[in-house]
Amino acid sequence: MATRRALKAVLVDLSGTLHIEDAAVPGAQEALKRLRATSVMVRFVTNTTKESKQDLLERLKKLEFDISEDEIFTSLTAARNLVEQKQVRPMLLVDDRALPDFKGIQTSDPNAVVIGLAPEHFHYQILNQAFRLLLDGAPLIAIHKARYYKRKDGLALGPGPFVTALEYATDTKATVVGKPEKTFFLEALRGTGCEPEETVMIGDDCRDDVGGAQNAGMRGILVKTVLQNAHHVRSAELGD
């Protein structure tokens, strides 16, 4: 069996791992301080599409997390990068608080659909507009396809079911940019000088965090998270 390379970098999920909405996960601040005291490089990766990176950073600082903006890599950043590469004009199905991360992107007369978590926009009229654009050949870009996420009042539908509905209705396939896509994890490591084999991912989702990291050549640690309204507990485990 190949020798495991020394650990040089740690990717840490945010929502559900360090915090749940406006409440820190108990002990998370101290755990981060202990991690900071080691020699490893720490980066934070998140699929959140509910708010801009700046709003997210302000939320984390209010919760007394010592995190800087350049340490955070979001699926919104990955989506914007793809929109710019493809030079398309997206219909943005994202929360209004996430719009600042798309500042400067041309959205009039859209010829693409970008979909994230946008509960206020997930109604028939808006989804039907997206459906018609896709029928006309517009590409579908999913910021991520999470099936659900954790809120203070329990589990809630993620964007995945709505992305899947549009795929099914239009017989097309979305380009997914967030976790668990391999490119997302590799982009998060860009500029660190660290290789996937030298990296571990810590998160609360066995598929999007641990599975995605393993697929990118990293190790994964699944934190113990009690999922309300679901009849199971994810036990902490180390994935090779």
Side-chain angles (χ1 to χ4, degrees):
M1 185 170 63
T3 302
R4 182 175 290 173
R5 297 175 67 173
L7 181 64
K8 293 184 179 180
V10 177
L11 302 182
V12 184
D13 177 49
L14 291 174
S15 180
T17 300
L18 292 188
H19 73 100
I20 297 172
E21 295 186 349
D22 290 323
V25 172
Q29 292 101 328
E30 180 58 31
L32 181 57
K33 288 178 182 178
R34 292 172 61 188
L35 186 59
R36 294 281 201 194
T38 69
S39 60
V40 300
M41 184 174 296
V42 182
R43 291 291 184 271
F44 302 91
V45 294
T46 177
N47 264 353
T48 186
T49 65
K50 301 190 300 295
E51 56 195 343
S52 67
K53 183 189 286 190
Q54 186 58 47
D55 287 345
L56 174 61
L57 182 62
E58 290 177 6
R59 180 197 296 264
L60 294 168
K61 286 185 174 180
K62 287 180 181 178
L63 296 176
E64 300 182 351
F65 286 108
D66 179 22
I67 297 175
S68 61
E69 185 174 357
D70 61 359
E71 292 179 314
I72 301 174
F73 184 73
T74 76
S75 53
L76 288 173
T77 302
R80 182 190 175 109
N81 291 347
L82 183 61
V83 165
E84 291 178 332
Q85 290 170 15
K86 288 183 172 292
Q87 297 183 327
V88 292
R89 304 180 302 278
M91 174 186 182
L92 292 171
L93 281 175
V94 299
D95 193 288
D96 290 346
R97 293 171 296 173
L99 292 176
D101 282 4
F102 292 93
K103 185 178 180 180
I105 296 292
Q106 178 61 253
T107 57
S108 60
D109 189 23
N111 59 1
V113 175
V114 173
I115 181 169
L117 181 60
E120 298 301 317
H121 301 305
F122 286 161
H123 56 77
Y124 186 85
Q125 182 178 357
I126 293 295
L127 289 172
N128 204 46
Q129 290 178 24
F131 164 71
R132 290 174 177 175
L133 280 173
L134 298 174
L135 285 182
D136 287 339
L140 176 61
I141 298 172
I143 299 178
H144 62 87
K145 290 183 72 174
R147 294 164 292 177
Y148 51 81
Y149 69 103
K150 185 173 175 57
R151 303 191 311 195
K152 287 185 291 187
D153 61 351
L155 295 180
L157 282 173
F162 300 94
V163 175
T164 301
L166 289 172
E167 288 179 318
Y168 175 73
T170 59
D171 195 24
T172 189
K173 195 71 175 175
T175 298
V176 184
V177 296
K179 294 180 291 183
E181 296 303 303
K182 180 178 180 179
T183 52
F184 179 87
F185 291 95
L186 297 181
E187 281 293 310
L189 273 187
R190 184 189 293 271
T192 66
C194 302
E195 298 296 327
E197 296 80 8
E198 301 167 329
T199 305
V200 66
M201 170 72 204
I202 301 173
D204 69 320
D205 191 298
C206 59
R207 186 190 67 158
D208 289 353
D209 294 327
V210 173
Q214 291 174 339
N215 187 51
M218 305 174 184
R219 282 170 276 170
I221 295 177
L222 184 66
V223 299
K224 185 178 181 180
T225 305
V226 179
L227 297 179
Q228 299 176 8
N229 301 326
H231 302 293
H232 65 280
V233 175
R234 292 174 180 164
S235 299
E237 65 182 19
L238 176 65
D240 290 332

